[in-house]
Every structure is written in structure tokens, then in C-alpha cells.
Amino acid sequence: QVQVVESGGGLVQAGGSLRLSCAASGSIKSVETMKWYRQGPGKQRELVASIPRAGSTNYYADSVKGRFTISREDAKKAVYLQMNSLKPEDTAVYYCYVDVLGSLYIVRGYWGKGTQVTVSS
């Protein structure tokens, strides 16, 4: 079994910053691509940022480029999302998604339960 847990959400004023954290645990040989998604009120879930295990460049949605930074710490099986210059439109539940190479050498994706980010104007 693999568990994915996010933390770090909260209420912040526009222009402020938050740092989200996500950690995977369980039967894991390695963590591959790690991603952050978000789902705002009445909106579809969208990919915000992704970071590969190695070798490729990170991806950012146009709406967050220059404001958000994704990073990872493989020793802790963790991924982070530093969010600066937050805007009310960033209000959403933020979900962590990780591709995990498990004990059977099969890659599967796992979702966290999400963490709420609310940006007040």
C-alpha cells in the first residue's frame, strides 16, 4: 500500500505566500514523476506543476509560471510547491499525485486527499 499526504494549505491574503508539502510512504522502490493539481470551486481539476525524477524540465501551467516553484526531495519521497504572489483565483483544493515504482516493479499513480488553499482579496 502507498499513502500520499499533503500539508501546508491555509488562508492567505492576496500577494502572500504558502508552501505545500506532500510525502509518499509505503511499499515504494522509487518515486517517479510528482505532480500538483488543483480544483477550484466549480472548475475541473487542472495540472499546476510537475517534476520528473531526473533529466527533463519541470512543467508549469501558464497561470502560475513565475509565481510557483515545484521541487522534490527524493530521500524523503517528498514534493513541494512554493506559491508566491498568490491571487484569489489560486483558491482551490490542491492535490498531490505521484507515480510510484512498487515492489512488483510496476509504476502506478496515487493521489493525496488534497489540501485547501484560500486566497482572500
Side-chain angles (χ1 to χ4, degrees):
Q1 279 284 26
V2 173
Q3 296 78 40
V4 176
V5 179
E6 306 98 334
S7 62
L11 174 64
V12 64
Q13 288 189 333
S17 298
L18 281 175
R19 186 179 188 240
L20 304 184
S21 301
C22 168
S25 62
S27 183
I28 299 172
K29 288 204 169 293
S30 66
V31 178
E32 306 301 316
T33 301
M34 307 180 85
K35 301 178 181 179
W36 286 98
Y37 286 79
R38 68 184 181 187
Q39 187 166 15
K43 298 181 180 180
Q44 290 190 329
R45 192 172 297 190
E46 63 172 346
L47 177 62
V48 175
S50 68
I51 183 167
R53 187 180 178 193
S56 299
T57 56
N58 300 343
Y59 165 85
Y60 295 95
D62 288 342
S63 57
V64 307
K65 279 180 182 176
R67 301 188 297 122
F68 290 11
T69 303
I70 190 170
S71 60
R72 62 189 288 163
E73 191 173 357
D74 288 339
K76 295 185 177 181
K77 300 181 181 66
V79 61
Y80 309 99
L81 188 67
Q82 178 66 43
M83 305 186 294
N84 299 329
S85 302
L86 282 161
K87 304 174 181 180
E89 50 264 43
D90 294 318
T91 295
V93 178
Y94 284 71
Y95 297 91
C96 179
Y97 177 89
V98 297
D99 283 324
V100 168
L101 180 66
S103 56
L104 298 180
Y105 293 93
I106 297 172
V107 176
R108 288 187 58 188
Y110 295 88
W111 289 96
K113 292 184 178 180
T115 184
Q116 176 70 47
V117 172
T118 302
V119 184
S120 63
S121 55

